[in-house]
Amino acid sequence: GGGEIIDGMMKVVGIKAKTKDGKITHSQYVRVNLVDCEHPFFGRVWHGVHILDGDSPLLNSSAKEKIREFGGSWPEDWLVEPEKIRRKLDFQSLVITVSGISNISACTVHAYKRYKFQDIIIGFDFAPLVYENEELSKLEVDVGLTHDVREQHKGSGEDLKNVHTPLEASLEARKSLGQQGCSTIFHESTAGSFNS
């Protein structure tokens, strides 16, 4: 052991830009409920899960109404075209915080990550990170897979070959200018996954 977090707490806040006459007037901050926001002894991987349902603050009002009409389920045609799902989302960014008590120092520890709307990939889950090390007969985390995703079983995911994020544009610009640089979208293995 070592390095675990006791009494872990994960919180997610959605940030929405409110507009009037096509201009942004102010930001709205909404609490995003997680299935499990507490973890008694966090030592490996913790996926924050929020259900995009008829009460989710991350969906626009017409999407929530449609889900309620379908008895809490998504209409099947939404699962065929990832772009339909993207158009149902109503937020500009998500702020995830994780806090708890270090079992090594007994100090309160915190982690923070902000995901922009463009960072979200529709139809994918994070790849499994935990594996069994047979030599040592124990479970370990492959942090090299932290950024990897896999397509969900139901529906279809966005075409990753055609996903163009601001990060990719920035890296392309650096290459064209002959500058070296490296950046990542995700930093912690406590990354959130938002499932339907």
Side-chain angles (χ1 to χ4, degrees):
E4 293 89 3
I5 296 175
I6 313 245
D7 272 340
M9 175 74 71
M10 183 184 298
K11 294 182 179 181
V12 179
V13 173
I15 303 173
K16 301 178 172 196
K18 292 300 169 184
T19 60
K20 184 175 184 179
D21 301 325
K23 296 187 180 205
I24 297 175
T25 57
H26 66 282
S27 294
Q28 178 185 15
Y29 300 89
V30 295
R31 175 78 55 206
V32 178
N33 293 324
L34 299 177
V35 174
D36 289 310
C37 65
E38 297 180 20
H39 199 303
F41 193 76
F42 167 50
R44 291 191 184 97
V45 177
W46 184 5
H47 290 278
V49 177
H50 170 73
I51 307 296
L52 293 170
D53 60 13
D55 296 318
S56 172
L58 301 180
L59 293 172
N60 62 36
S61 54
S62 63
K64 291 190 274 191
E65 188 176 311
K66 193 73 157 176
I67 291 169
R68 287 199 271 300
E69 285 175 21
F70 276 73
S73 298
W74 285 26
E76 286 293 321
D77 65 313
W78 290 8
L79 302 177
V80 179
E81 292 180 56
E83 190 53 40
K84 279 189 177 184
I85 296 172
R86 187 170 286 283
R87 288 192 303 265
K88 311 287 184 222
L89 299 176
D90 182 24
F91 64 90
Q92 276 61 53
S93 55
L94 299 171
V95 175
I96 293 105
T97 58
V98 175
S99 61
I101 300 169
S102 165
N103 73 332
I104 293 175
S105 66
C107 292
T108 303
V109 293
H110 306 270
Y112 161 94
K113 178 65 185 157
R114 184 175 185 157
Y115 296 94
K116 295 180 182 173
F117 184 79
Q118 309 88 289
D119 297 333
I120 306 301
I121 303 172
I122 307 296
F124 287 82
D125 285 325
F126 287 105
L129 304 177
V130 179
Y131 69 96
E132 182 181 359
N133 182 328
E134 293 178 7
E135 276 183 28
L136 301 174
S137 296
K138 69 177 196 171
L139 294 177
E140 293 189 354
V141 176
D142 184 347
V143 294
L145 296 174
T146 301
H147 310 263
D148 289 4
V149 293
R150 63 179 182 185
E151 196 164 5
Q152 292 177 345
H153 296 291
K154 189 167 186 174
S156 61
E158 291 179 302
D159 181 0
L160 295 183
K161 292 177 187 164
N162 293 324
V163 171
H164 195 71
T165 67
L167 171 63
E168 292 169 328
S170 170
L171 292 174
E172 285 177 18
R174 286 183 192 164
K175 283 180 189 173
S176 69
L177 295 172
Q179 296 176 352
Q180 300 263 334
C182 181
S183 182
T184 57
I185 295 173
F186 308 110
H187 297 290
E188 296 87 21
S189 61
T190 56
S193 101
F194 295 88
N195 300 329
S196 58

